[in-house]
Amino acid sequence: MGKIIAVANQKGGVGKTTTSINLASGLAYLGKKVLLVDFDPQANSTQGVGASRESIKNSIYDVVMGDVSVEQARLRIKQPPLCLIPATIDLAGADLEMVQYKAGREKLLKNKLDVVKELYDYIVIDCPPSLGLLNTNALTAADSVIIPVQCEYFALEGISKLLNTIKIIKSKLNPKLEIEGFLLTMYDSRLRLANQIYDEVKRHFQELVFKTVIQRNVKLSESPSHGLPVILYDAESNGAKNHLALAKEIINKNS
């Protein structure tokens, strides 16, 4: 039985998509069977692993809001060696459509992923930067959640809202939901502020903070524009090494 990990933080620009793409790729290159679910209407994870728009016949919108199965929407990516459920701009309207459902609207994604969960070691969900029904669906479907926290000013802003949302979902919809860990991103050890944020997050969340830290890295920023995870764009970069270390840390934690 696989593990479903949501990568969530309603604050934009914290590294959710970067984490999703490169964690999924790292797990895949370490020999795990991985499904990456792009659940963000911006579809950046879809582009970030090199999926062409022409190859998309069905998207995650069709899976969640229609009769399309995960297998029908799934794309097999050769490099990195993983499967992807792509997103399109259609997903932007899903929140409003879900509101009209009288029952079961929070479990639309869970119902579809549960069917294929045993086929994968890890299913990674890239969540949108909001706390709407898309995020609720992702957290209801997930076994755990990774919360990226950028090492910049206002880093902890909004985390209390996300933690409260997780608490509500755990009590009402998904009692198994756990925090996989807080992941510090965009870390620059030369900056006093970055070190202060790191210390503050460690003090607040202690053992829930990943040992791995994602350093600020040019190659990591450049790789999405080439439609490549950083491990393919530059395997020797700190961005690639950091995400492989994260993947190993998660595998060891769950073994």
Side-chain angles (χ1 to χ4, degrees):
M1 183 68 77
K3 182 168 192 178
I4 302 177
I5 302 175
V7 182
N9 188 331
Q10 80 275 17
K11 191 169 168 27
V14 299
K16 284 189 300 297
T17 297
T18 299
T19 299
S20 300
I21 293 168
N22 292 295
L23 171 60
S25 301
L27 289 167
Y29 278 113
L30 290 170
K32 300 301 179 183
K33 292 181 180 177
V34 179
L35 175 65
L36 175 60
V37 179
D38 191 348
F39 211 46
D40 185 342
Q42 297 176 80
N44 290 334
S45 278
T46 299
Q47 298 164 37
V49 293
S52 65
R53 290 185 180 179
E54 295 75 27
S55 66
I56 302 173
K57 294 183 176 66
N58 293 298
S59 69
I60 189 64
Y61 172 84
D62 302 300
V63 172
V64 173
M65 303 306 297
D67 296 326
V68 174
S69 67
V70 168
E71 288 93 337
Q72 289 170 312
R74 180 178 57 194
L75 299 177
R76 294 185 185 275
I77 311 293
K78 289 183 179 178
Q79 298 291 342
L82 52 73
C83 292
L84 167 75
I85 306 181
T88 62
I89 193 63
D90 292 344
L91 191 61
D95 248 327
L96 289 174
E97 291 180 49
M98 286 178 184
V99 170
Q100 297 170 30
Y101 282 58
K102 291 184 179 178
R105 60 191 180 191
E106 300 89 357
K107 296 187 177 182
L108 294 170
L109 181 62
K110 175 181 171 58
N111 293 339
K112 292 297 180 80
L113 292 184
D114 278 353
V115 176
V116 299
K117 190 175 179 181
E118 64 189 32
L119 301 177
Y120 299 95
D121 297 308
Y122 292 95
I123 297 176
V124 178
I125 306 173
D126 181 17
C127 297
S130 69
L131 286 179
L133 276 168
L134 288 179
N135 239 311
T136 300
N137 263 265
L139 294 174
T140 301
D143 298 303
S144 66
V145 54
I146 291 174
I147 303 171
V149 181
Q150 85 277 37
C151 292
E152 295 179 358
Y153 197 59
F154 294 135
L156 298 178
E157 186 183 67
I159 284 184
S160 60
K161 288 183 181 178
L162 177 60
L163 292 177
N164 190 50
T165 299
I166 291 170
K167 184 178 178 182
I168 292 168
I169 289 172
K170 189 168 181 175
S171 66
K172 295 186 176 180
L173 295 166
N174 184 7
K176 297 186 301 178
L177 182 63
E178 300 292 343
I179 293 175
E180 188 76 25
F182 290 84
L183 177 66
L184 287 149
T185 64
M186 307 176 198
Y187 177 72
D188 187 339
S189 60
R190 299 168 299 177
L191 300 179
R192 182 187 298 175
L193 177 61
N195 289 300
Q196 288 173 344
I197 298 291
Y198 177 87
D199 292 340
E200 190 172 353
V201 172
K202 286 287 284 185
R203 183 169 55 83
H204 268 84
F205 303 111
Q206 299 173 17
E207 73 279 356
L208 284 175
V209 181
F210 283 109
K211 293 182 177 68
T212 303
V213 172
I214 308 301
Q215 295 168 278
R216 188 176 289 281
N217 180 243
V218 173
K219 299 296 184 183
L220 192 57
S221 302
E222 290 175 351
S223 59
S225 65
H226 295 268
L228 294 170
V230 70
I231 194 170
L232 280 176
Y233 183 64
D234 187 344
E236 294 301 313
S237 67
N238 282 333
K241 291 174 182 176
N242 292 163
H243 283 93
L244 271 175
L246 175 65
K248 289 176 183 175
E249 187 174 345
I250 287 172
I251 290 169
N252 290 337
K253 183 178 178 183
N254 292 288
S255 62

